[in-house]
Amino acid sequence: QVQLVESGGGSVLSGGSLRLSCAASGYTYSSYCMGWFRQAPGKEREGVAGIDSDGRISYADSVKGRFTISQDNAKNTLYLQMNSLKPEDTAMYYCAAGDGTYDYCSATPDNYYGMDYWGKGTLVTISS
């Protein structure tokens, strides 16, 4: 069973930076999609950034140029570097993974599917 544990959330002022981490364990598939998602109070969950099984990286328009997703396969860890943070970035941030075999998943923010494993989230609060 895949387990995902996020960390790195916190409270910062607008314009600041945070780096989120997602430690993964229990992998059984040969390839994975991995991504970051967020949900603000009263809003639906949205995709933020993702890495598909073929290595393709994609970002939501709202974070392009400010956020960077990366992964360290040796450490089984996914990262999200967030710069130039805005109050509208305030949300619970979740890491998710899916079985990348035979394209069973996509981590593309505006068209994600098959992301079967989710962490419990880490809270990011940006104040102006």
Side-chain angles (χ1 to χ4, degrees), residues 6-12 17-21 36 82 122-124:
E6 303 95 337
S7 61
S11 298
V12 298
S17 299
L18 285 172
R19 187 194 195 202
L20 305 184
S21 299
W36 288 98
M82 305 187 296
T122 185
L123 182 62
V124 172

Side-chain angles (χ1 to χ4, degrees), residues 4-7 20-24 34 36 76-79 95-96:
L4 304 171
V5 180
E6 303 95 337
S7 61
L20 305 184
S21 299
C22 172
M34 298 287 297
W36 288 98
N76 286 336
T77 303
L78 183 73
Y79 301 99
C95 171

Side-chain angles (χ1 to χ4, degrees), residues 63-94:
V63 307
K64 281 181 181 177
R66 300 188 298 122
F67 290 11
T68 302
I69 188 172
S70 62
Q71 60 184 15
D72 185 332
N73 291 329
K75 296 182 179 180
N76 286 336
T77 303
L78 183 73
Y79 301 99
L80 185 68
Q81 177 66 44
M82 305 187 296
N83 299 327
S84 302
L85 284 160
K86 305 175 181 180
E88 51 263 43
D89 294 319
T90 294
M92 186 70 80
Y93 283 71
Y94 299 92

Side-chain angles (χ1 to χ4, degrees), residues 33-76:
C33 300
M34 298 287 297
W36 288 98
F37 302 81
R38 66 186 182 187
Q39 187 166 18
K43 295 187 177 182
E44 294 186 353
R45 183 176 63 198
E46 62 176 354
V48 175
I51 303 177
D52 282 325
S53 57
D54 60 1
R56 181 181 57 197
I57 292 176
S58 53
Y59 296 94
D61 288 343
S62 59
V63 307
K64 281 181 181 177
R66 300 188 298 122
F67 290 11
T68 302
I69 188 172
S70 62
Q71 60 184 15
D72 185 332
N73 291 329
K75 296 182 179 180
N76 286 336

Side-chain angles (χ1 to χ4, degrees), residues 37 47 49-52 56 58-59 106-113 115:
F37 302 81
I51 303 177
D52 282 325
R56 181 181 57 197
S58 53
Y59 296 94
S106 170
T108 302
D110 60 354
N111 185 31
Y112 62 91
Y113 58 85
M115 304 300 285

